[in-house]
């Protein structure tokens, strides 16, 4: 969330995609306890496959301004790692 706040003005957009089977019934209580400053949507298996599959959660897809998937990162990430990826995209 700190990275989103710091880089949004430079063109960064983050969209969280939940793949919870119970959709908003699972997501709303989580968001109530853990407010997030970027949009969250509900996805499904079709969406995951459209991005080449999701092998683990979290998976971060880096998409350039033309809408192309540049790379993806599987697993958690430190702020410095995320900034390293963004340096080449923004």
């Amino acid at each position: 969330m700190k990275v989103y706040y710091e880089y949004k003005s430079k063109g960064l957009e983050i969209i969280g995609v939940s793949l919870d089977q119970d959709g908003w019934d699972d997501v709303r209580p989580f968001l109530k306890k853990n407010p997030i400053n970027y949009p969250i949507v509900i996805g499904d298996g079709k969406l995951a496959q459209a991005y080449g599959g999701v092998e683990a959660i979290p998976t971060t897809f880096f998409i350039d301004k033309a809408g192309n998937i540049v790379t993806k990162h599987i697993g958690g990430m430190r702020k410095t790692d995320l900034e390293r990826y963004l340096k080449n995209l923004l």
Side-chain angles (χ1 to χ4, degrees):
M1 291 190 328
K2 289 179 183 178
V3 170
Y4 184 59
Y5 179 78
E6 291 175 23
Y7 289 86
K8 185 173 173 62
S9 64
K10 296 179 181 175
L12 174 66
E13 192 57 62
I14 296 177
I15 301 171
V17 180
S18 169
L19 297 177
D20 292 274
Q21 290 183 357
D22 290 333
W24 288 111
D25 290 340
D26 285 342
V27 175
R28 279 190 191 100
F30 176 83
L31 292 175
K32 189 171 185 173
K33 291 180 184 177
N34 306 282
I36 295 177
N37 65 347
Y38 50 83
I40 304 294
V41 299
I42 302 297
D44 58 16
K46 287 175 68 174
L47 178 69
Q49 288 304 319
Y51 281 84
V54 174
E55 300 163 25
I57 295 176
T59 296
T60 302
F61 292 91
F62 293 89
I63 302 170
D64 66 16
K65 293 178 182 181
N68 302 305
I69 298 172
V70 175
T71 191
K72 72 178 179 180
H73 177 90
I74 299 170
M77 228 183 315
R78 293 182 305 233
K79 182 177 185 261
T80 54
D81 297 329
L82 180 55
E83 288 174 324
R84 184 172 34 86
Y85 281 108
L86 294 176
K87 185 183 283 187
N88 297 321
L89 290 174
L90 297 177

